[in-house]
Each structure stands twice: as C-alpha cells, then as structure tokens.
C-alpha cells in the first residue's frame, strides 16, 4: 500500500482571505474568520489551505504588492492570530500553505524605498534600474518601466508600477527571500505557493524581447525570453527546495503562466514538488467545454509530466472566471459545474479548489465604476478584470451573505439569497453535498488519489477515463450533454484512445461493474450498456 502524501493525495483549498469571513465588521475577511471556519473546512474533507497573501500591502494589486514579507496586514489580524490559525488547523489535520510573493515587492516596501533613494544606496541593485527603458512590457499592459524622478532613472515592474521587480541576480536578494521562507517555516507553515516564480530572474544585460507574431500586428505581446526562465532559476529553486526539505513534510508549488511544458521542467525531487500548468483553464466559454478538449489536454499533460512529476488540477482561482460561470449556460443550471468539479477531483493531479467552488458560486457582474482590478480598469470593456471571482463567500441568506456585518470591500453576488452554504447544507441534493461526497470518495479510494490516468473514450457527449492503483481501478463517466446519452461501458475503446494493450488487460468495466457514485442512478451493479442522464457524473469501481 502506498503511503499517503498530503500534497499529492489530498485536496488543497484556496482561501482568498479578504473575501472569506469578516469577524470585526470592517468589510474585509480576516484570520479569526478563517479560524472560526476550520471545522467546516475539515468536514468538507480538504487536506490543506492555501491562503492568498496576508501581508501588509497598499493593495495596488490586492495583496500581491507586499510591503513587509514577515508581518500580517492589520486588516487580517496579528501574528498571534496567525499562530492560532496554524495551531488550530494542525489540530484538525489541516496544513497551511502561504502565498510567497517573492518576484516583486510593493513600491512602499522599505527595500524599495531605500533602493530608490539614491544611485549609491546599498540596496540600489536589489531592483533593476536603468537610464533608458528596453522594450519589455508589463503583464498588466503598457511598458514595464517606470521613470522615477528621485534619481532620474527607470525601474522595471512586470506587473503594476507599484510592484517593482526584485533583482534576483543579486545574491543578497536571494538570501533575503530565503530568509522570508525560513521565517514562516519556523512558524509551522507547511508550504508555499510561489507567485510567478519563473520570472524571478531577468537577463542582467536587459536586452529587448523579440516581438511575437501577434505583437508584430500591433498587439501588446512579445516572446518573454529575456525576462523569464533565465539560467539562474534552476539553481535557486534547488536552494529553496534544500531549505524547505530541512523541515519534514513541507511543500513548494510554483505558479508559472508557461503551460505544462514549463511547469514540468521545474518539478522534480530537488526542484519544486509541483507547478501549476493551468491545462484546463483556457476553456473560457462553453464551446471548448467538451469531452475531446479535456481528453486531449489530459493526455498531453500525461506525456509531459512523468510518473515522478505530480501534476495539479486547477479549474478556478482568484485570477480566472470561475469554472461554474465559464461553463454554466444559465444561473440555475449546475450540471456543467458538477462536471467541472468531477474533473477537478478525479483527474490525475492534486486538486486546487477555490473558495466557493464547493457551492458552485458564480462570478459577480460589476459596472465599470465598481471595477477595482488594475488590468480590468485599463482594458474595460474588452477585459473586465478579476474582481468577479473575488466576491465574498456566500455563507447564508443573511445580509451580505453572512460575510460581514459591515460594508463588504467588494459587492456580494446578488444570488446569495438562493445560493449559499447554509441553504445547501440543508438540502441533501445540493451542490455542496455533491462536492462533499466526491471528496469523501477520494479519501477512501487510493486509485482516485494517486492512481495512474488511463484514457478510455471521448465521444461527442461522453468523457470516460480510469484511475488505476495497486489493487483497484475506478472508471469515471461524464456526460457533457444536456440530454440522456446511451453509453456502452464494455466497448468504451474505439474512440481513438486505445493503446496497444487492448481493453481486456486494462480491466474495462463490463456488465457487473458497480456504481460507487452517481448523479443519475443509485449505487449498485450496472449493465454494460447504460443510459447516462443529462450531465451525469458516474464513478464505477
Ligand atoms: C499572480 C497572482 O495570482 C496574481 O493575482 C497577481 O496579480 C500576480 N501574480 C502578481 O503578483
């Protein structure tokens, strides 16, 4: 029997603290709010909590502009509140993962205030300064260089101008950031989500980036070959890993926008434990939400991630439209959201569940004047930013969805009166119980946790695959259609995904397979040919 590994076999739940639960009425979620809901999270069955940044921040990028890496923003609480949270989480078997935003700081960070103060300040070289900008562009639009009148030079910022990039070619910067990790490891933190880790280093000569094809047509796009994935990165990741490995059971998961190839490159025994590859998140609208899309993406990822490189499953987070909003055809229809949740929890890889995903929360629609997110303000109406998925958690039908007794920092979704956790907990047929049951199924079936992925079929309507571990094989059938579909479980091969070994050796479920979980039928034996209900999620074992 393989040993249980929390970050591989368990579900990691992302908390966006400012929108989780406000206990002091200031309109911001806080750490005591998280602590007060640990019983709920333990009962949901997740293994770990990843907290988006909780450090002091002027909020130019909602916490991702850090003004002090080793303190707690007073709006969230105190270091003592954090220590209580860690202790209480651990008491319930929940791990805590912090968001380590190391690539850049706030322009109010003491390091940057020193760096900008004069050209001969000892911290001048902690950031990238030059007399004239190169052609690099910011991920949030426009030029990546900001003129600073104090010393009449420009500094580099990959994100907003209030987020100057640190210069990782400087060894003092690398040491300072390792010290940040050590500070939190000493306080019992179980791991880190590394914000945009593949852009830590820039080419020190700061040469121009070549423009991309679309860039030549005038769009603000270029090939990021000088400002990302530089040679210094791998040795530094090894140093980070060596540090983290001094503390047993700790974890590093990195964020890169580079796709599965880039992600796989940085995952390994002496590198990161995992890296987001965002394989399934570019299906923004319902049209790519079909069996072939998921099968092709799943297979592609399998070929890039070897057995030793554990992938992650992400369908929603604080930067993306929620999967339920991307795929559901109308507000009432949770069928597609159930399929998305089933994919998240049954594909090979660690599921990263975003707060509210367990009740299929939707993105809140905002008017132009309500948009807070910098890229949304810049590009509205072509891109409306990331506020929609950041709306407060819908706890109950009480005012402000039970999130806050004050004025929430961001509008609550008006559907909270009908879609909220308390209401769903009172209804055994709710989305919440669907999520809860599926997580429970994962806990008792090693095949769903760390079993290999075996593609079976992707027809127009049905996606079928297996997860296979030592002594068990689970078959997952997902009907993407809004109508019933006949599907023969014993002849699932023949749709282009059969491998050389043929079906019999794979132990395809035939007549006699048992339904372990289904939204369309009772548990028990199924015949070889079954009629899948609209949007049915069916797990056979
Ligand atoms: C990625 C984070 O997920 C996003 O929210 C943030 O804006 C950028 N990194 C910059 O830190």
């Amino acid at each position: 029997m393989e040993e249980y590994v929390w970050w591989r076999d368990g579900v990691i739940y992302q908390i966006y603290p400012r929108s989780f639960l406000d206990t002091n009425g200031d309109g911001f979620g806080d750490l005591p709010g998280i602590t007060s809901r640990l019983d709920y999270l333990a009962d949901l069955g997740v293994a770990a909590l990843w907290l988006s940044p909780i450090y002091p921040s002027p909020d130019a990028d909602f916490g991702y502009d850090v003004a002090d890496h080793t303190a707690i923003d007073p709006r969230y609480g105190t270091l003592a509140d954090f220590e209580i949270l860690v202790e209480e989480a651990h008491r319930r078997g929940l791990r805590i993962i912090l968001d380590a935003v190391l690539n850049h700081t706030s322009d109010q960070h003491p390091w940057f205030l020193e760096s900008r103060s004069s050209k001969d300040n000892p911290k001048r070289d902690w950031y990238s300064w030059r007399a004239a900008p190169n052609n690099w562009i910011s991920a949030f639009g426009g030029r990546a260089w900001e003129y600073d009148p104090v010393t009449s030079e420009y500094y580099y910022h990959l994100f907003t101008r209030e987020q100057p990039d640190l210069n990782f070619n400087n060894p003092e910067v690398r040491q300072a950031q390792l010290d940040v990790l050590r500070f939190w490891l000493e306080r019992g933190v179980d791991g880190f989500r590394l914000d945009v880790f593949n852009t830590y280093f820039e080419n020190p000569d700061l040469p121009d980036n070549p423009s991309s094809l679309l860039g030549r047509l005038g769009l603000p796009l270029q090939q990021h070959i000088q400002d990302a994935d530089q040679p210094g990165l791998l040795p530094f990741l090894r140093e980070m890993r060596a540090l983290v490995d001094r503390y047993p059971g700790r974890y590093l998961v990195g964020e890169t926008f580079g796709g599965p190839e880039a992600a796989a490159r940085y995952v390994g025994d002496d590198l990161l434990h995992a890296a987001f590859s965002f394989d399934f998140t570019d299906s923004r609208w319902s049209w790519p939400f079909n069996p072939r899309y998921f099968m092709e993406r799943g297979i592609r990822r399998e070929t890039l991630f070897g057995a030793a490189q554990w992938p992650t499953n992400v369908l929603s987070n604080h930067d993306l439209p929620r999967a339920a909003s991307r795929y559901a055809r109308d507000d009432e229809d949770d069928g597609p959201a159930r399929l998305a949740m089933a994919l998240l929890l049954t594909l090979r890889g660690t599921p990263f569940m975003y707060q509210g995903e367990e009740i299929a929360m939707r993105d809140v629609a905002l008017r132009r004047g309500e948009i807070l997110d910098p890229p949304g303000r810049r590009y509205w109406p072509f891109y409306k930013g990331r506020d929609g998925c950041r709306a407060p958690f819908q706890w109950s039908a009480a005012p402000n969805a039970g999130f806050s007794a004050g004025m929430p920092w961001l509008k609550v979704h008006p559907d909270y009166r009908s879609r909220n956790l308390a209401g769903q907990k009172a209804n055994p047929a709710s989305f919440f119980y669907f999520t809860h049951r599926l997580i429970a199924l994962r806990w008792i079936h090693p095949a769903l946790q760390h079993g290999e992925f075996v593609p079976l079929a992707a027809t127009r309507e049905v996606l079928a695959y297996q997860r296979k571990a030592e002594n068990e094989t689970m078959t997952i059938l997902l009907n993407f259609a809004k109508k019933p579909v006949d599907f023969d479980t014993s002849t699932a091969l023949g749709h282009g995904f059969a491998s050389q070994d043929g079906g019999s050796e794979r132990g395809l479920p035939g007549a006699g397979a048992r339904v372990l979980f289904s939204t369309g039928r009772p548990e028990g034996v199924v015949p070889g040919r079954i009629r899948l209900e609209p949007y049915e999620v069916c797990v056979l074992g």
Side-chain angles (χ1 to χ4, degrees), residues 125-202:
D125 185 53
W126 280 40
Y127 296 83
S128 293
W129 293 93
R130 63 183 265 173
N134 63 15
N135 78 341
W136 296 358
I137 50 177
S138 156
F140 287 163
R143 166 180 277 201
W145 294 88
E146 180 70 12
Y147 179 72
D148 191 36
V150 181
T151 53
S152 309
E153 282 198 333
Y154 294 80
Y155 64 85
Y156 169 57
H157 58 92
L158 176 58
F159 296 95
T160 68
R161 68 166 76 99
E162 293 90 354
Q163 291 165 290
D165 260 56
L166 281 161
N167 173 19
F168 275 74
N169 292 307
N170 182 318
E172 290 173 6
V173 168
R174 300 200 295 275
Q175 192 52 53
Q177 296 299 48
L178 290 173
D179 289 345
V180 166
L181 299 188
R182 192 176 298 109
F183 176 90
W184 294 110
L185 288 165
E186 289 292 331
R187 275 155 191 80
V189 161
D190 299 284
F192 301 98
R193 176 259 189 196
L194 303 174
D195 190 66
V196 288
F197 74 93
N198 69 321
T199 60
Y200 287 168
F201 290 80
E202 290 82 42

Side-chain angles (χ1 to χ4, degrees), residues 363-382:
D363 286 6
V364 68
L366 298 173
R367 290 192 302 276
R368 182 176 196 162
E370 295 170 324
I371 303 278
L372 300 174
D373 187 30
R377 292 168 84 111
R378 184 179 185 111
Y379 290 118
W380 199 95
F382 305 105

Side-chain angles (χ1 to χ4, degrees), residues 21-89:
L21 181 64
D22 171 21
T23 56
N24 63 1
D26 66 356
F28 282 87
D30 45 45
L31 298 181
I34 300 172
T35 305
S36 72
R37 289 296 189 268
L38 290 174
D39 283 337
Y40 162 65
L41 295 163
D43 171 68
L44 179 60
V46 300
L49 311 176
W50 148 31
L51 311 185
S52 278
I54 51 174
Y55 323 103
S57 166
D59 269 0
D61 187 19
F62 298 95
Y64 285 90
D65 48 322
V66 176
D68 182 349
H69 291 91
T70 54
I72 304 291
D73 191 308
R75 289 171 298 181
Y76 295 132
T78 61
L79 206 47
D81 292 326
F82 181 71
E83 282 166 2
I84 294 170
L85 168 60
V86 172
E87 195 183 316
E88 290 296 319

Side-chain angles (χ1 to χ4, degrees), residues 246-314:
R246 274 184 237 142
Y247 300 79
R250 312 300 166 97
Y251 172 62
L252 289 176
V253 55
E255 183 217 27
T256 154
F257 295 115
E261 294 84 356
R265 202 181 326 145
Y266 297 116
V267 174
D269 283 347
D270 61 344
L271 296 166
L272 306 180
H273 297 82
F276 296 132
S277 49
F278 298 120
D279 308 86
F280 311 110
T281 57
D282 60 351
S283 58
R284 289 261 160 130
W285 302 278
S286 48
W287 59 264
F289 189 64
N290 62 55
R292 275 206 173 258
Y293 169 87
F294 283 94
M295 187 60 99
E296 275 158 17
R297 294 304 174 103
I299 291 177
R300 178 161 162 250
R301 190 174 68 173
E302 290 299 317
T303 59
L304 292 167
F305 277 75
Q309 292 166 306
W310 194 251
T312 61
N313 297 331
V314 178

